[in-house]
Amino acid sequence: MAPATLQGAERTEDSPALDDPGAHAPEETRGWSPTPEELASVRTTVARLKAAYPSVDADTVEAAVTAAYDSFGQARVRKYVPILAERRARKALAAARSTPDVTGRLER
């Protein structure tokens, strides 16, 4: 059986297909370089979630928010990143807070 070919597109080592799971972004687009507005949004989100989850350690809240923002690091449209990151961080914090401890009781 002949290997499948892409019609109308050529792939090279420098330009892997977008749907290729082994494809990597070019070095210039890797990582997250936040704008001053995004940094302010991160600080606001951290403060809001610290107030919403007072029983959760402040470092855990900051880590959840940072991880949520990092997950959108490659997003081309940045407008909705703050709300999406906050929702993702809230979901992670709610799941962490409702995880049973060693005795089987829910952490509160």
Side-chain angles (χ1 to χ4, degrees), residues 9-96:
E10 292 185 26
R11 290 174 50 182
T12 66
E13 286 298 315
D14 295 333
S15 61
L18 293 177
D19 59 348
D20 184 356
H24 296 288
E27 287 297 322
E28 310 85 57
T29 61
R30 287 187 187 159
W32 179 51
S33 298
T35 64
E37 294 82 15
E38 287 176 322
L39 289 174
S41 180
V42 169
R43 286 191 294 272
T44 302
T45 301
V46 167
R48 192 171 24 250
L49 293 182
K50 282 181 183 178
Y53 296 92
S55 63
V56 178
D57 182 51
D59 291 336
T60 303
V61 173
E62 290 177 21
V65 172
T66 301
Y69 270 89
D70 287 347
S71 70
F72 294 102
Q74 297 299 317
R76 291 183 183 180
V77 178
R78 307 295 304 170
K79 183 175 183 174
Y80 301 106
V81 168
I83 188 66
L84 295 171
E86 183 170 344
R87 287 180 181 176
R88 183 168 287 180
R90 281 185 184 274
K91 187 175 181 179
L93 292 170

Side-chain angles (χ1 to χ4, degrees), residues 2-9 11:
T5 59
L6 296 175
Q7 293 182 359
R11 290 174 50 182

Side-chain angles (χ1 to χ4, degrees), residues 52-57 90 93-108:
Y53 296 92
S55 63
V56 178
D57 182 51
R90 281 185 184 274
L93 292 170
R97 190 173 76 172
S98 64
T99 303
D101 64 9
V102 177
T103 62
R105 293 186 222 148
L106 292 179
E107 295 178 14
R108 292 284 172 185

